[in-house]
mmCIF file of all heavy atoms in Angstrom:
data_model
loop_
_atom_site.group_PDB
_atom_site.id
_atom_site.type_symbol
_atom_site.label_atom_id
_atom_site.label_comp_id
_atom_site.label_asym_id
_atom_site.label_seq_id
_atom_site.Cartn_x
_atom_site.Cartn_y
_atom_site.Cartn_z
ATOM 1 N N PHE A 775 -4.879 10.744 -8.542
ATOM 2 C CA PHE A 775 -3.897 11.772 -8.939
ATOM 3 C C PHE A 775 -3.467 11.526 -10.391
ATOM 4 O O PHE A 775 -3.552 10.420 -10.881
ATOM 5 C CB PHE A 775 -2.602 11.612 -8.098
ATOM 6 C CG PHE A 775 -2.799 11.609 -6.601
ATOM 7 C CD1 PHE A 775 -3.120 10.464 -5.894
ATOM 8 C CD2 PHE A 775 -2.646 12.749 -5.859
ATOM 9 C CE1 PHE A 775 -3.353 10.481 -4.524
ATOM 10 C CE2 PHE A 775 -2.801 12.767 -4.474
ATOM 11 C CZ PHE A 775 -3.146 11.554 -3.841
ATOM 12 N N GLN A 779 5.882 13.110 -15.279
ATOM 13 C CA GLN A 779 7.253 12.732 -15.104
ATOM 14 C C GLN A 779 8.107 13.116 -16.351
ATOM 15 O O GLN A 779 8.033 12.336 -17.348
ATOM 16 C CB GLN A 779 7.464 11.279 -14.820
ATOM 17 C CG GLN A 779 8.866 10.807 -14.422
ATOM 18 C CD GLN A 779 8.987 9.377 -14.089
ATOM 19 O OE1 GLN A 779 8.476 8.482 -14.774
ATOM 20 N NE2 GLN A 779 9.758 9.030 -13.052
ATOM 21 N N SER A 782 13.676 14.367 -16.560
ATOM 22 C CA SER A 782 14.412 14.546 -15.260
ATOM 23 C C SER A 782 14.071 13.520 -14.209
ATOM 24 O O SER A 782 14.728 13.391 -13.213
ATOM 25 C CB SER A 782 14.209 15.978 -14.698
ATOM 26 O OG SER A 782 12.889 16.085 -14.242
ATOM 27 N N ARG A 783 13.031 12.782 -14.465
ATOM 28 C CA ARG A 783 12.576 11.623 -13.616
ATOM 29 C C ARG A 783 11.722 12.087 -12.444
ATOM 30 O O ARG A 783 11.136 11.251 -11.792
ATOM 31 C CB ARG A 783 13.676 10.768 -13.144
ATOM 32 C CG ARG A 783 14.519 10.115 -14.200
ATOM 33 C CD ARG A 783 15.245 8.913 -13.576
ATOM 34 N NE ARG A 783 16.090 9.314 -12.468
ATOM 35 C CZ ARG A 783 17.358 9.586 -12.498
ATOM 36 N NH1 ARG A 783 17.975 9.569 -13.694
ATOM 37 N NH2 ARG A 783 18.071 9.885 -11.463
ATOM 38 N N GLN A 784 11.719 13.367 -12.096
ATOM 39 C CA GLN A 784 11.023 13.735 -10.897
ATOM 40 C C GLN A 784 9.453 13.692 -11.125
ATOM 41 O O GLN A 784 8.990 14.319 -12.081
ATOM 42 C CB GLN A 784 11.407 15.135 -10.385
ATOM 43 C CG GLN A 784 10.738 15.499 -9.118
ATOM 44 C CD GLN A 784 11.523 16.594 -8.371
ATOM 45 O OE1 GLN A 784 12.292 17.257 -8.941
ATOM 46 N NE2 GLN A 784 11.221 16.762 -7.099
ATOM 47 N N MET A 785 8.774 13.064 -10.286
ATOM 48 C CA MET A 785 7.323 12.998 -10.369
ATOM 49 C C MET A 785 6.743 14.314 -9.838
ATOM 50 O O MET A 785 7.000 14.692 -8.707
ATOM 51 C CB MET A 785 6.742 11.839 -9.497
ATOM 52 C CG MET A 785 6.960 10.499 -10.026
ATOM 53 S SD MET A 785 5.737 10.187 -11.330
ATOM 54 C CE MET A 785 5.954 8.423 -11.526
ATOM 55 N N ARG A 790 -5.192 16.621 -8.336
ATOM 56 C CA ARG A 790 -5.648 15.606 -7.344
ATOM 57 C C ARG A 790 -7.134 15.751 -7.225
ATOM 58 O O ARG A 790 -7.782 16.851 -7.264
ATOM 59 C CB ARG A 790 -5.031 15.973 -5.955
ATOM 60 C CG ARG A 790 -5.441 15.065 -4.827
ATOM 61 C CD ARG A 790 -4.725 15.439 -3.589
ATOM 62 N NE ARG A 790 -5.115 16.753 -3.085
ATOM 63 C CZ ARG A 790 -4.592 17.290 -1.989
ATOM 64 N NH1 ARG A 790 -3.710 16.604 -1.233
ATOM 65 N NH2 ARG A 790 -4.961 18.468 -1.621
ATOM 66 N N GLY A 837 -6.228 6.176 2.147
ATOM 67 C CA GLY A 837 -5.655 6.333 3.478
ATOM 68 C C GLY A 837 -4.207 6.603 3.474
ATOM 69 O O GLY A 837 -3.631 7.367 2.743
ATOM 70 N N SER A 838 -3.507 5.902 4.344
ATOM 71 C CA SER A 838 -2.057 5.997 4.477
ATOM 72 C C SER A 838 -1.326 4.989 3.674
ATOM 73 O O SER A 838 -0.100 4.845 3.869
ATOM 74 C CB SER A 838 -1.635 5.894 5.964
ATOM 75 O OG SER A 838 -2.026 4.617 6.443
ATOM 76 N N GLU A 839 -2.081 4.350 2.869
ATOM 77 C CA GLU A 839 -1.419 3.245 2.059
ATOM 78 C C GLU A 839 -0.617 3.763 0.890
ATOM 79 O O GLU A 839 -0.634 4.922 0.566
ATOM 80 C CB GLU A 839 -2.451 2.273 1.658
ATOM 81 C CG GLU A 839 -3.089 1.570 2.865
ATOM 82 C CD GLU A 839 -4.046 0.432 2.488
ATOM 83 O OE1 GLU A 839 -4.011 0.043 1.301
ATOM 84 O OE2 GLU A 839 -4.711 -0.004 3.313
ATOM 85 N N LYS A 840 -0.028 2.888 0.201
ATOM 86 C CA LYS A 840 0.852 3.238 -0.976
ATOM 87 C C LYS A 840 0.108 3.762 -2.092
ATOM 88 O O LYS A 840 -1.113 3.376 -2.313
ATOM 89 C CB LYS A 840 1.644 1.958 -1.391
ATOM 90 C CG LYS A 840 0.703 0.759 -1.752
ATOM 91 C CD LYS A 840 1.527 -0.431 -2.027
ATOM 92 C CE LYS A 840 0.631 -1.594 -2.378
ATOM 93 N NZ LYS A 840 -0.038 -2.177 -1.123
ATOM 94 N N LEU A 841 0.702 4.602 -2.886
ATOM 95 C CA LEU A 841 0.150 4.972 -4.184
ATOM 96 C C LEU A 841 0.232 3.796 -5.088
ATOM 97 O O LEU A 841 1.276 3.085 -5.187
ATOM 98 C CB LEU A 841 0.990 6.087 -4.734
ATOM 99 C CG LEU A 841 0.764 7.502 -4.240
ATOM 100 C CD1 LEU A 841 1.933 8.415 -4.587
ATOM 101 C CD2 LEU A 841 -0.558 8.045 -4.771
ATOM 102 N N LYS A 845 0.541 2.223 -15.789
ATOM 103 C CA LYS A 845 1.817 2.084 -16.542
ATOM 104 C C LYS A 845 2.278 3.339 -17.218
ATOM 105 O O LYS A 845 3.311 3.401 -17.740
ATOM 106 C CB LYS A 845 1.672 0.906 -17.556
ATOM 107 C CG LYS A 845 1.555 -0.442 -16.926
ATOM 108 C CD LYS A 845 1.535 -1.511 -17.966
ATOM 109 C CE LYS A 845 1.396 -2.891 -17.408
ATOM 110 N NZ LYS A 845 2.555 -3.255 -16.657
ATOM 111 N N ARG B 774 22.455 10.236 -7.900
ATOM 112 C CA ARG B 774 21.413 10.316 -8.934
ATOM 113 C C ARG B 774 21.654 9.104 -9.879
ATOM 114 O O ARG B 774 20.682 8.639 -10.502
ATOM 115 C CB ARG B 774 21.532 11.593 -9.727
ATOM 116 C CG ARG B 774 20.996 12.779 -8.992
ATOM 117 C CD ARG B 774 20.320 13.777 -9.860
ATOM 118 N NE ARG B 774 19.214 13.232 -10.602
ATOM 119 C CZ ARG B 774 18.719 13.761 -11.699
ATOM 120 N NH1 ARG B 774 19.236 14.857 -12.187
ATOM 121 N NH2 ARG B 774 17.666 13.191 -12.319
ATOM 122 N N TYR B 800 9.773 3.595 -3.960
ATOM 123 C CA TYR B 800 9.205 2.885 -5.108
ATOM 124 C C TYR B 800 10.306 2.486 -6.049
ATOM 125 O O TYR B 800 11.356 3.136 -6.133
ATOM 126 C CB TYR B 800 8.263 3.826 -5.854
ATOM 127 C CG TYR B 800 7.016 4.279 -5.111
ATOM 128 C CD1 TYR B 800 7.048 5.347 -4.229
ATOM 129 C CD2 TYR B 800 5.804 3.567 -5.220
ATOM 130 C CE1 TYR B 800 5.886 5.741 -3.498
ATOM 131 C CE2 TYR B 800 4.699 3.916 -4.499
ATOM 132 C CZ TYR B 800 4.710 4.953 -3.665
ATOM 133 O OH TYR B 800 3.586 5.397 -2.956
ATOM 134 N N GLN B 802 10.948 1.786 -10.141
ATOM 135 C CA GLN B 802 10.356 2.018 -11.434
ATOM 136 C C GLN B 802 11.239 1.441 -12.532
ATOM 137 O O GLN B 802 12.319 1.870 -12.832
ATOM 138 C CB GLN B 802 10.217 3.532 -11.698
ATOM 139 C CG GLN B 802 9.494 3.874 -13.033
ATOM 140 C CD GLN B 802 9.218 5.344 -13.257
ATOM 141 O OE1 GLN B 802 9.861 6.154 -12.648
ATOM 142 N NE2 GLN B 802 8.257 5.697 -14.064
ATOM 143 N N GLN B 806 7.826 1.538 -17.228
ATOM 144 C CA GLN B 806 6.689 1.139 -16.356
ATOM 145 C C GLN B 806 6.404 2.243 -15.347
ATOM 146 O O GLN B 806 7.178 3.184 -15.177
ATOM 147 C CB GLN B 806 7.105 -0.132 -15.539
ATOM 148 C CG GLN B 806 7.489 -1.367 -16.453
ATOM 149 C CD GLN B 806 6.281 -1.823 -17.209
ATOM 150 O OE1 GLN B 806 5.157 -1.958 -16.701
ATOM 151 N NE2 GLN B 806 6.435 -2.128 -18.496
ATOM 152 N N GLY B 807 5.303 2.076 -14.660
ATOM 153 C CA GLY B 807 4.922 2.932 -13.549
ATOM 154 C C GLY B 807 5.709 2.513 -12.280
ATOM 155 O O GLY B 807 6.069 1.385 -12.121
ATOM 156 N N PRO B 808 5.882 3.407 -11.353
ATOM 157 C CA PRO B 808 6.501 3.073 -10.102
ATOM 158 C C PRO B 808 5.718 1.981 -9.315
ATOM 159 O O PRO B 808 4.476 1.968 -9.374
ATOM 160 C CB PRO B 808 6.489 4.348 -9.311
ATOM 161 C CG PRO B 808 6.318 5.418 -10.322
ATOM 162 C CD PRO B 808 5.473 4.886 -11.376
ATOM 163 N N PHE B 810 5.440 0.036 -5.473
ATOM 164 C CA PHE B 810 5.755 0.188 -4.098
ATOM 165 C C PHE B 810 6.737 -0.781 -3.608
ATOM 166 O O PHE B 810 6.698 -1.945 -3.908
ATOM 167 C CB PHE B 810 4.455 0.017 -3.261
ATOM 168 C CG PHE B 810 4.563 -0.003 -1.820
ATOM 169 C CD1 PHE B 810 4.789 1.117 -1.059
ATOM 170 C CD2 PHE B 810 4.470 -1.221 -1.195
ATOM 171 C CE1 PHE B 810 4.912 1.033 0.316
ATOM 172 C CE2 PHE B 810 4.614 -1.305 0.176
ATOM 173 C CZ PHE B 810 4.844 -0.182 0.916
ATOM 174 N N ALA B 863 0.217 11.238 8.162
ATOM 175 C CA ALA B 863 0.052 9.815 8.022
ATOM 176 C C ALA B 863 -0.761 9.531 6.771
ATOM 177 O O ALA B 863 -0.641 8.470 6.167
ATOM 178 C CB ALA B 863 -0.521 9.235 9.269
ATOM 179 N N ASN B 865 -1.694 9.668 3.099
ATOM 180 C CA ASN B 865 -0.809 9.937 1.909
ATOM 181 C C ASN B 865 -1.589 10.627 0.811
ATOM 182 O O ASN B 865 -1.727 10.139 -0.285
ATOM 183 C CB ASN B 865 -0.282 8.590 1.387
ATOM 184 C CG ASN B 865 0.795 8.693 0.424
ATOM 185 O OD1 ASN B 865 1.403 9.723 0.215
ATOM 186 N ND2 ASN B 865 1.000 7.600 -0.383
ATOM 187 N N THR B 866 -2.026 11.821 1.139
ATOM 188 C CA THR B 866 -2.875 12.594 0.169
ATOM 189 C C THR B 866 -2.085 13.586 -0.707
ATOM 190 O O THR B 866 -2.655 14.055 -1.680
ATOM 191 C CB THR B 866 -3.963 13.311 0.926
ATOM 192 O OG1 THR B 866 -3.367 14.202 1.840
ATOM 193 C CG2 THR B 866 -4.916 12.363 1.648
ATOM 194 N N ALA B 868 1.945 13.361 -1.969
ATOM 195 C CA ALA B 868 3.261 12.890 -1.888
ATOM 196 C C ALA B 868 4.247 13.711 -2.750
ATOM 197 O O ALA B 868 3.900 14.070 -3.850
ATOM 198 C CB ALA B 868 3.354 11.418 -2.220
ATOM 199 N N PHE B 870 7.928 13.786 -4.521
ATOM 200 C CA PHE B 870 8.904 12.884 -4.915
ATOM 201 C C PHE B 870 10.273 13.521 -5.149
ATOM 202 O O PHE B 870 10.384 14.686 -5.528
ATOM 203 C CB PHE B 870 8.494 12.212 -6.307
ATOM 204 C CG PHE B 870 7.399 11.202 -6.139
ATOM 205 C CD1 PHE B 870 6.090 11.516 -5.989
ATOM 206 C CD2 PHE B 870 7.723 9.858 -6.180
ATOM 207 C CE1 PHE B 870 5.077 10.511 -5.875
ATOM 208 C CE2 PHE B 870 6.796 8.893 -6.079
ATOM 209 C CZ PHE B 870 5.465 9.213 -5.912
ATOM 210 N N GLN B 872 14.036 13.004 -7.240
ATOM 211 C CA GLN B 872 14.359 12.841 -8.694
ATOM 212 C C GLN B 872 14.822 11.404 -8.937
ATOM 213 O O GLN B 872 15.075 11.045 -10.092
ATOM 214 C CB GLN B 872 15.459 13.804 -9.122
ATOM 215 C CG GLN B 872 14.963 15.229 -9.253
ATOM 216 C CD GLN B 872 15.955 16.082 -9.883
ATOM 217 O OE1 GLN B 872 17.055 16.453 -9.253
ATOM 218 N NE2 GLN B 872 15.680 16.631 -11.063
ATOM 219 N N GLY B 873 14.911 10.598 -7.852
ATOM 220 C CA GLY B 873 15.219 9.188 -8.084
ATOM 221 C C GLY B 873 16.737 8.888 -8.244
ATOM 222 O O GLY B 873 17.571 9.806 -8.563
#
Side-chain angles (χ1 to χ4, degrees):
Chain A
F775 306 86
Q779 188 179 42
S782 68
R783 299 199 304 263
Q784 184 159 18
M785 286 283 193
R790 178 178 65 180
S838 62
E839 296 186 12
K840 56 187 179 284
L841 282 162
K845 290 185 182 292
Chain B
R774 287 215 59 201
Y800 294 87
Q802 186 176 19
Q806 301 293 317
F810 169 78
N865 190 18
T866 57
F870 283 80
Q872 288 187 293

